[in-house]
Amino acid sequence: MEKIRANRNRTITLTEEEKTELRKSFVRVEGGFDKLNHRDLTINANLLDALPLLPDAFADLIIIDPPYNLTKDFNGNKFNARTQEAYDEYLASWFPLVCKKLKPNGSLYLCGDWKCTSSLQRAMEKELTVLNRITWQREKGRGAKSNWKNGMEDIWFGVKNADDYYFNVEAVKQKRRVIAPYKVDGKPKDWDETQEGNYRLTYPSNFWDDISVPFWSMPENTDHPTQKPEKLYAKLILASSRPGDLVFDPFLGSGTASVVAKKLGRHYLGIEMNEEYCLLAQKRLKLAETDKSIQGYCDGVFWERNTAQLQKKQD
């Protein structure tokens, strides 16, 4: 049955007419492709079918958001929770192959939750040099009665060559409100005094508490059950790629990695096995041609969640 949505609901949906047109804009691995154009493309295919058709060492940045070790229905494609050993085997079936697509000086980010994060670390350590684990606050969900609410997720950061990789910390500074302003000779020290309030530009840590998970009133929201926020991926893309670089997402979902890459002037390639999600990705990519905004990112800096200045700029 079709969902009944509130008038203020901004979730991206698809009409049958849109689906017919958007099906022309992505490719399928059927009919004997021996080579795929791997720039600015969405591939509707099983990952293991598509990877052999892509050249090695083509991606400057790889962002991976695989199924976590949870039972989850992805629009009819069900992923079942399994033992840790079985999940390790699942990762081993595709992760080394994906790493071959990374350039020698490229970077890779791998997303997970508390339950599968140890498996992700083990998988990465076999193929890459792990540089860090980012933990981001996931403010969504009603909580649990017999356990602590799961309010965090991890992103593992790894590179092929720890002596040769790109990282632009200046591109991912955060603008934070100054609660206790400190002055020297009557002038602000390391912060700015403005009509809207007192703010300081800070260097990012590996704990992020400024992310909003997409929900019904956000224009980036889709019905994908595990959609990642555009702001989250914007940080990864700005820090670990240059304009014109290629960002590869082998589990594209509803298209966040490709959409953010396009908005930020990067090339993209995504693989997704579910046609419905490919269609959503293509619609979001089309919308990104005229709307480059990323909620929570403006004036070249990332703003704290729900800051007054941010709301003013986006209204």
Side-chain angles (χ1 to χ4, degrees):
M1 295 180 62
E2 186 176 351
K3 292 183 178 180
I4 299 176
R5 304 179 191 271
N7 291 333
R8 294 178 59 236
N9 192 312
R10 303 176 73 182
T11 299
I12 297 172
T13 58
L14 298 161
T15 65
E16 290 303 318
E17 290 78 11
E18 286 177 320
K19 290 181 180 181
T20 299
E21 189 63 28
L22 290 170
R23 283 191 184 98
K24 304 173 185 178
S25 63
F26 58 79
V27 300
R28 304 176 190 271
V29 181
E30 297 170 357
F33 280 104
D34 58 5
K35 185 177 181 180
L36 290 173
N37 171 21
H38 57 273
R39 178 173 288 193
D40 301 333
L41 191 68
T42 300
I43 304 172
N44 179 206
N46 180 287
L47 176 62
L48 294 179
D49 293 335
L51 282 177
L53 304 178
L54 297 170
D56 289 342
F58 75 86
D60 299 283
L61 171 62
I62 298 178
I63 301 175
I64 312 176
D65 183 23
Y68 298 174
N69 195 7
L70 302 167
T71 297
K72 186 75 68 173
D73 189 332
F74 296 97
N75 194 43
N77 294 328
K78 192 170 184 179
F79 187 89
N80 293 310
R82 56 202 70 186
T83 65
Q84 187 176 81
E85 292 75 14
Y87 190 76
D88 287 347
E89 292 176 4
Y90 163 71
L91 293 175
S93 71
W94 57 263
F95 185 71
L97 301 176
V98 170
C99 288
K100 290 182 179 180
K101 308 307 175 182
L102 187 64
K103 288 183 178 180
N105 61 349
S107 298
L108 184 148
Y109 291 93
L110 179 60
C111 301
D113 68 351
W114 70 270
K115 190 175 181 180
C116 68
T117 196
S118 59
S119 294
L120 302 181
Q121 181 181 9
R122 286 192 295 272
M124 284 195 70
E125 288 177 339
K126 291 177 182 177
E127 305 295 330
L128 306 171
T129 299
V130 176
L131 296 184
N132 214 324
R133 183 188 71 180
I134 299 163
T135 298
W136 62 281
Q137 187 177 23
R138 189 179 183 278
E139 276 296 307
K140 195 172 184 180
R142 297 180 179 178
K145 292 183 179 180
S146 59
N147 200 345
W148 305 105
K149 175 184 174 182
N150 181 23
M152 305 288 181
E153 292 193 16
D154 289 338
I155 306 176
W156 289 92
F157 171 33
V159 297
K160 278 197 170 182
N161 185 348
D163 295 319
D164 182 19
Y165 66 95
Y166 177 78
F167 191 81
N168 184 2
V169 72
E170 295 293 331
V172 286
K173 284 186 175 180
Q174 186 176 15
K175 200 157 191 174
R176 288 188 176 274
R177 288 170 291 188
V178 176
I179 306 300
Y182 177 67
K183 294 185 178 181
V184 175
D185 296 329
K187 296 181 180 180
K189 182 174 174 58
D190 300 327
W191 58 276
D192 294 318
E193 191 172 21
T194 71
Q195 291 182 345
E196 293 80 17
N198 302 326
Y199 291 94
R200 173 185 291 117
L201 279 180
T202 63
Y203 284 97
S205 73
N206 62 354
F207 173 66
W208 299 350
D209 61 355
D210 62 320
I211 305 296
S212 295
V213 177
F215 55 93
W216 61 270
S217 66
M218 293 171 64
E220 69 188 76
N221 189 55
T222 73
D223 285 329
H224 191 285
T226 61
Q227 180 181 346
K228 289 295 186 289
E230 291 187 7
K231 183 180 182 182
L232 182 76
Y233 278 12
K235 294 190 178 194
L236 307 180
I237 291 171
L238 286 169
S240 293
S241 71
R242 301 173 177 86
D245 281 354
L246 193 147
V247 179
F248 174 41
D249 184 345
F251 293 88
L252 184 62
S254 62
T256 299
S258 292
V259 170
V260 177
K262 182 172 183 174
K263 288 184 176 182
L264 296 176
R266 277 71 170 168
H267 295 289
Y268 58 87
L269 173 68
I271 300 173
E272 172 54 45
M273 66 184 299
N274 189 285
E275 184 190 73
E276 186 78 7
Y277 296 152
C278 286
L279 293 169
L280 284 170
Q282 295 307 98
K283 180 168 181 176
R284 292 176 67 193
L285 285 165
K286 188 175 182 179
L287 292 171
E289 293 176 3
T290 54
D291 182 5
K292 304 292 184 183
S293 65
I294 296 171
Q295 184 162 329
Y297 175 72
C298 56
D299 293 341
V301 295
F302 291 92
W303 291 74
E304 290 179 285
R305 185 194 296 127
N306 300 327
T307 56
Q309 178 71 359
L310 172 59
Q311 298 303 322
K312 184 183 295 185
K313 284 181 175 292
Q314 294 192 339
D315 287 342

